[in-house]
Amino acid sequence: NWQEEAARFTPDLKVLVVAGQPGERQAALNDSEPVDVIITSYGLLKRDIELYEKMKLKYCFLDEAQNVKNPQTLNAQAVKRIRAEACFALTGTPIENSLTELWSIFDFILPGYFRSHASYVKRFEAPIAKQADATALKELGRHIRPFVLRRMKQTVLRELPEKIESKLTAPMTPEQARIYAAWLLTARREFEQEVDEHGFEKSRIKILAILTRLRQLCCHPSLFIENYTGGSGKMELLADVVRDAVAAKHRLLIFSQFTGLLALIKPMLDSLQISWHYLDGATPSQERMHLVNSFNRGDKDVFLISLKAGGAGLNLTGADMVVHCDPWWNPAVEDQATDRAYRIGQKNVVQVFKLVAKGTIEEKILVMQERKRALIDSLIQPGESFIGKMTESEIRALFGE
């Protein structure tokens, strides 16, 4: 995608995409012919970092810089070995889960600015997380503001049409509601037992698994219950939305974090005689661009996309409607996915639908998301989406009546 954009906007620059097998990548980087721009992926960079750290670069840009949000990962450690006169980080989600992510990005663009990670946690992250020190939040905002340039699309891309977001609530089918109620009682017991035996902090993985099961039930019980035949209220609502949209000549992106749900949507679209593309984490990069270009040309009506695999880096302005089948903990991830359609080149009003199962944990997730937005608003103006590491009281609220 970056190669195509470079050819469009800066055709005078010589661009090298470093990809392929190890030998091909090494040969490309060792070629004596000079180039202006080198493009590669985080996955390949960490494998080839010995080749890159020998270079003296004018600039280094990290696109989708949330890929280095965890300072312990090989991605983060690799990019911080690059030598460049100036470093830039581009991201729509500088903070997704904790303030450590902001530290990690700053450790790339301004190494040492916040000193050590331990010092940063003691001075800023711990007091802010405890909501015990408003001064720490204000002070952190003061430190980062000179180095952050934030622009909202509505401000700088005045040619973009309107984006309309709506929540669509789906009542569960009788059988689905019965199973959900039973599992919720079981989930509450498992949660309390787990916390009693191991403590809250050591139980996070088990708690996440319990919550995931409840969220899958909201989408479709057959995601983990074999031979289930009781239907899904959300799938019925989705079928109505897609049928009406395609009849009105709209083209759709449908996102879910559950590839199993996307697999159930495929036959539903086939039964409606609606054509579709599909992309998830297993789709090769070259195939992704082929699918993207095909969809943007007008081939097929629907693009089914795994949220985490296709939520960034794709230009899908061929769609003017986005459907999120299930809410993610962090609304910023959903926003990024929506922006596959709502970006430069979009000529139509973009409609965004978020499907929510009525009377379930999904409604509580949305409430929690809204409460979390205030922190990032305080740091990076104007409003961004943020969901921090959930506290015990927040998780208990998810299991509440």
Side-chain angles (χ1 to χ4, degrees), residues 122-148:
K122 181 178 180 181
R123 184 179 178 187
F124 298 112
E125 185 166 0
I128 292 171
K130 294 176 183 176
Q131 299 180 338
D133 190 350
T135 304
L137 182 60
K138 184 177 180 180
E139 190 69 4
L140 179 57
R142 185 178 69 83
H143 275 77
I144 70 172
R145 205 158 289 126
F147 306 103
V148 176

Side-chain angles (χ1 to χ4, degrees), residues 22-42:
E24 296 175 281
R25 303 198 302 270
Q26 184 171 357
L29 288 170
N30 291 336
D31 192 335
S32 59
E33 189 174 350
V35 297
D36 299 302
V37 180
I38 298 172
I39 301 172
T40 193
S41 70
Y42 289 99

Side-chain angles (χ1 to χ4, degrees), residues 186-210:
T186 301
R188 286 173 180 158
R189 288 196 298 267
E190 287 186 13
F191 169 74
E192 295 295 349
Q193 182 179 347
E194 181 70 20
V195 172
D196 287 344
E197 291 180 2
H198 304 287
F200 178 74
E201 287 300 327
K202 293 183 179 179
S203 302
R204 283 186 176 273
I205 294 178
K206 178 66 179 293
I207 293 169
L208 180 62
I210 295 172

Side-chain angles (χ1 to χ4, degrees), residues 242-306:
V242 174
R243 184 192 300 108
D244 294 344
V246 172
K249 306 300 181 184
H250 293 291
R251 302 179 69 235
L252 299 90
L253 308 182
I254 298 178
F255 288 98
S256 174
Q257 66 207 269
F258 301 118
T259 55
L261 182 63
L262 296 176
L264 294 174
I265 294 173
K266 292 177 185 177
M268 181 265 285
L269 295 176
D270 290 339
S271 68
L272 297 174
Q273 297 184 316
I274 292 173
S275 57
W276 49 268
H277 284 305
Y278 177 82
L279 184 154
D280 65 15
T283 308
S285 56
Q286 294 299 322
E287 176 66 13
R288 291 183 185 209
M289 290 312 300
H290 169 74
L291 293 172
V292 167
N293 292 333
S294 173
F295 184 79
N296 286 336
R297 283 196 305 267
D299 301 340
K300 305 194 176 179
D301 300 309
V302 172
F303 208 140
L304 300 172
I305 307 175
S306 165

Side-chain angles (χ1 to χ4, degrees), residues 26 42 47 50 131 151 156 159 172 202 232 240 246 250 261 267 272 278 298 303 310 322 350 378-379 383 387:
Q26 184 171 357
Y42 289 99
R47 295 186 180 95
E50 290 80 8
Q131 299 180 338
R151 293 292 181 264
V156 296
E159 72 275 17
M172 290 188 285
K202 293 183 179 179
S232 162
D240 290 339
V246 172
H250 293 291
L261 182 63
L272 297 174
Y278 177 82
F303 208 140
V322 179
V350 175
S378 302
L379 287 177
I387 178 170

